[in-house]
Amino acid sequence: MIEPARSKLRGLYAITPQGLAPANLLARVEAVLGGGVAFVQYRDKGTGGARRAELAGALRRLCRQYGARLLINDDLALALAVDADGVHLGGTDGDLVAARQALGSGRLLGASCYADFDRARTAVSAGADYVAFGAVHPSPTKPLAVSAPLSLFTRCRAELAVPACAIGGITAENASPLLAAGADLLAVISDLFGAADSAARASAYQPLFKEHPRDLPQSATF
């Protein structure tokens, strides 16, 4: 298990798309891992339990191979079953305090906070290791999502001192202002998995993190 120190929660965060055949999904995930993705979130609302567990296990092995971390979307039991690096919970997808207790200190807990800073404050109090704000841009995945302003990232860094994840319509071309505002994680679906060359597209993000270096305050580390 990779130690999930908050000071290391920074980088490109690939969220798996719906509708890909298992072999294609694994090939595309391996491509983005090769391009420098540091985190993968397995999001799958439609596949049956046995197949989801099989895919999650395969993704875990891929992530270990590339030194990346795997989180499971909205399924704490699956995350624990496949020894994933953590779980990400939406606003109605589980109790954060209970998830923190089940995960222990060795796994990550992420929380969707949309455009609600008070929700983020509550999530951090419950033990979340990072909070996600979005949609930061119009998103083909969630076209009706409320717009999240850049000020949320600046405020999160100043007041909560935990990493903030930006999500929603992010591309390599529009990502720089998010990092400048205080985002540490860039969660991307379409711009990675919809690209003709997913590895090259993932690689295009890497210089942006070097252009906006950041160390979290000491109080934010374990």
Side-chain angles (χ1 to χ4, degrees), residues 133-154:
F133 296 111
V136 293
H137 295 289
S139 168
T141 304
K142 295 187 176 181
L144 300 180
V146 175
S147 177
L150 293 182
S151 59
L152 287 168
F153 301 98
T154 305

Side-chain angles (χ1 to χ4, degrees), residues 1-192:
M1 178 63 61
I2 302 172
E3 189 66 21
R6 286 177 180 168
S7 60
K8 296 180 181 179
L9 292 182
R10 183 167 169 81
L12 188 57
Y13 190 169
I15 299 181
T16 61
Q18 297 288 125
L20 293 182
N24 190 15
L25 173 64
L26 293 173
R28 298 300 289 273
V29 169
E30 183 165 17
V32 299
L33 287 168
V37 158
F39 304 85
V40 173
Q41 184 183 131
Y42 177 42
R43 176 190 285 176
D44 189 342
K45 304 293 187 179
T47 304
R51 178 58 63 87
R52 288 182 74 239
E54 182 180 346
L55 278 172
L59 289 169
R60 179 184 58 79
R61 290 189 290 275
L62 270 180
C63 287
R64 295 293 191 278
Q65 180 182 340
Y66 284 88
R69 286 182 264 189
L70 173 70
L71 287 87
I72 306 296
N73 177 263
D74 295 346
D75 194 332
L76 175 61
L78 178 60
L80 294 173
V82 302
D83 191 28
D85 295 290
V87 68
H88 183 95
L89 297 179
T92 60
D93 296 309
D95 181 80
L96 291 172
V97 173
R100 176 76 280 162
Q101 292 174 344
L103 291 167
S105 62
R107 292 184 174 87
L108 295 170
L109 175 61
S112 294
C113 300
Y114 312 103
D116 188 339
F117 190 79
D118 287 338
R119 183 187 289 271
R121 191 188 305 278
T122 299
V124 172
S125 296
D129 295 300
Y130 71 88
V131 292
F133 296 111
V136 293
H137 295 289
S139 168
T141 304
K142 295 187 176 181
L144 300 180
V146 175
S147 177
L150 293 182
S151 59
L152 287 168
F153 301 98
T154 305
R155 189 178 177 190
C156 181
R157 178 165 173 76
E159 298 183 30
L160 301 182
V162 300
C165 176
I167 187 169
I170 297 172
T171 68
E173 289 73 30
N174 66 25
S176 187
L178 298 168
L179 295 172
D184 288 289
L185 297 160
L186 300 177
V188 184
I189 306 173
S190 300
D191 194 51
L192 288 176

